């Protein structure tokens, strides 16, 4: 591990000053400290923000939920409002990691970095870690890599399960920076690799995530998360599906669907959603909608199986949430 300085801040102004000077924010440290041990990350200064007042879950005026950035994954998953209003978020958090790792924060969870093994091996070529060095995964072992949103520079998946549920529900990320507060749609927060895979979030220098806000959605809302992986515990998704449906009078009035384990960012599925709207739940509908889930996929040598697996994962979860299974 490379030497670094450590400072603990007690208010947001102090944090932003430290962030503006190039300090890296430290909350649960689950990803950052891990990567520092492997010398993938080499920050000069860590700014411990755990004393900031960002640990509340509140119902918004419009009936949505605002989850503070320092709320832990365990706290969010167990919170009564999260469980009752958005089971898809609660389930995604519970399936994310072992109980020990769910001390990680919501802010840290959506900021976590890829599990690409070449990224974590400092002897391998990796454009994300070392821009311009190449991508060892393109012609290496790429079974777990992305099939959607990839570029010639990087094909790594985003590893967060919670981010898939938040993307499906069209959450907003609240940020605070030297120039004030702003909030941006989740879909704009995480960036596809393009030619700059080292840039992963639409954050300005020194900006701090303060909360994630899930919008109010029409009720009743059924939702749930399905994760397919090589083993049942402590494993990342090969494919996953977050689904939320508002069904009234036997007709689907609102559909929110996103996939994980397949994209360089959590992969929203608007064509699947459009196919569901205004229709009555049926086996044929789930199958026809899910058939569109992998549109635009560019599989690699070892991950062609994900195309079919993604469609089946989405179909299965539509069936479960839609109430025909
Ligand atoms: Fe690096 Fe991305 Fe290639 Fe993995 S897929 S080696 S993270 S550039």
């Amino acid at each position: 591990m490379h030497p670094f300085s450590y400072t603990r801040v007690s208010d947001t102004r102090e944090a932003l000053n430290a962030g503006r000077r190039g300090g890296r924010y430290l909350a649960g440290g689950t990803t950052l400290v891990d990567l520092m041990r492997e010398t993938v990350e080499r920050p000069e200064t860590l700014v411990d923000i755990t004393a900031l007042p960002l640990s509340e879950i509140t119902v918004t005026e419009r009936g949505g939920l605002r989850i503070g950035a320092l709320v832990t994954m365990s706290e969010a998953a167990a919170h009564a409002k999260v469980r009752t209003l958005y089971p898809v978020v609660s389930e995604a958090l519970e399936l994310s990691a072992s109980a020990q790792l769910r001390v990680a924060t919501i802010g840290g969870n959506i900021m976590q970095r890829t599990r690409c093994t070449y990224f974590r091996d400092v002897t391998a070529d990796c454009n994300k870690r070392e821009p311009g060095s190449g991508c060892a995964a393109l012609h290496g072992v790429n079974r777990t890599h992305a099939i959607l949103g990839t570029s010639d520079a990087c094909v790594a998946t985003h590893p967060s399960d919670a981010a898939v549920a938040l993307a499906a529900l069209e959450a907003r990320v609240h940020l605070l920076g030297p120039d004030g507060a702003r909030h941006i749609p989740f879909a704009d927060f995480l960036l596809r690799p393009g030619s700059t895979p080292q840039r992963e979030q639409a954050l300005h220098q020194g900006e701090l995530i303060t909360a994630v806000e899930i919008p109010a959605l029409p009720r009743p809302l059924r939702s749930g998360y399905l994760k397919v992986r090589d083993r049942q515990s402590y494993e990342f998704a090969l494919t996953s599906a977050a689904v939320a449906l508002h069904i009234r009078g036997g007709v689907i009035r609102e559909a929110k669907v996103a996939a994980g384990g397949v994209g360089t960012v959590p992969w929203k599925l608007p064509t699947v959603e459009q196919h569901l709207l205004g229709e009555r739940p049926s086996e044929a509908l789930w199958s026809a909608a899910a058939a569109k889930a992998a549109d635009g996929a560019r599989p690699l040598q070892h991950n062609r199986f994900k195309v079919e697996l993604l469609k089946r994962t989405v179909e299965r979860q539509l069936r479960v949430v839609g109430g025909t299974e």
Side-chain angles (χ1 to χ4, degrees):
M1 192 182 277
H2 281 250
F4 60 91
S5 64
Y6 169 91
T7 178
R8 190 162 197 261
V9 295
S10 53
D11 61 49
T12 45
R13 199 179 55 172
E14 214 183 325
L16 293 177
N17 283 337
R20 192 169 43 198
R21 292 194 297 269
R24 290 284 300 276
Y25 297 128
L26 175 74
T30 313
T31 296
L32 181 55
V33 174
D34 209 17
L35 291 173
M36 287 170 66
R37 284 201 194 98
E38 297 177 50
T39 68
V40 173
E41 294 266 20
R42 303 174 189 191
E44 298 283 321
T45 305
L46 289 185
V47 183
D48 184 336
I49 58 169
T50 52
L52 300 186
L54 304 173
S55 301
E56 285 203 344
I57 298 178
T58 50
V59 178
T60 65
E61 278 179 14
R62 293 182 178 181
L65 267 192
R66 183 184 161 111
I67 305 175
L70 292 178
V71 173
T72 67
M73 293 166 67
S74 289
E75 288 166 348
H79 195 276
K81 290 287 184 192
V82 179
R83 292 187 89 83
T84 52
L85 296 177
Y86 307 103
V88 63
V89 175
S90 184
E91 290 174 18
L93 286 164
E94 284 175 344
L95 289 168
S96 288
S98 62
Q100 290 87 342
L101 285 181
R102 288 200 291 269
V103 296
T105 61
I106 290 293
N109 182 276
I110 63 174
M111 288 284 289
Q112 69 181 291
R113 307 200 70 188
T114 182
R115 304 304 298 189
C116 172
T117 48
Y118 301 108
F119 172 70
R120 285 161 186 262
D121 173 0
V122 291
T123 66
D125 292 339
C126 174
N127 288 323
K128 192 182 279 296
R129 177 171 32 74
E130 198 68 50
S133 64
C135 171
L138 274 177
H139 303 291
V141 178
N142 46 42
R143 177 175 178 272
T144 60
H145 288 71
I147 57 173
L148 290 157
T150 57
S151 72
D152 290 342
C154 181
V155 292
T157 52
H158 191 275
S160 167
D161 293 295
V164 179
L166 294 169
L169 298 175
E170 293 160 20
R172 299 181 80 82
V173 183
H174 289 243
L175 303 167
L176 183 64
D179 298 326
R182 65 182 179 125
H183 48 83
I184 56 177
F186 204 84
D188 297 337
F189 177 69
L190 296 173
L191 304 177
R192 298 185 195 187
S195 58
T196 55
Q198 72 278 12
R199 187 155 184 263
E200 296 173 332
Q201 301 91 16
L203 281 168
H204 300 155
Q205 171 79 37
E207 259 186 334
L208 183 67
I209 302 173
T210 54
V212 173
E213 182 179 337
I214 309 172
L217 290 165
R219 303 279 155 192
L221 187 77
R222 302 178 193 167
S223 72
Y225 188 72
L226 175 63
K227 180 174 182 177
V228 178
R229 45 190 165 171
D230 282 326
R231 55 183 181 186
Q232 274 303 89
S233 162
Y234 199 69
E235 188 57 276
F236 291 86
L238 290 171
T239 58
S240 71
V243 172
L245 299 175
H246 169 54
I247 302 172
R248 188 164 44 83
V251 173
I252 299 169
R253 313 280 177 172
E254 190 85 61
K256 306 286 184 195
V257 187
V262 290
T264 51
V265 294
W267 204 255
K268 183 81 162 150
L269 293 168
T271 52
V272 174
E273 294 171 344
Q274 283 302 318
H275 196 87
L276 297 167
L277 290 177
E279 302 292 337
R280 293 183 175 275
S282 71
E283 289 299 314
L285 179 67
W286 308 141
S287 178
K292 299 175 181 301
D295 285 0
R298 290 176 52 195
L300 302 160
Q301 186 183 359
H302 303 124
N303 67 6
R304 292 183 198 285
F305 71 97
K306 283 193 176 187
V307 172
E308 185 59 27
L309 187 60
L310 170 59
K311 294 179 198 171
R312 293 189 190 194
T313 305
V314 171
E315 182 178 342
R316 169 76 187 273
Q317 194 57 5
L318 286 173
R319 191 179 297 128
V320 169
V321 174
T324 55
E325 177 171 297

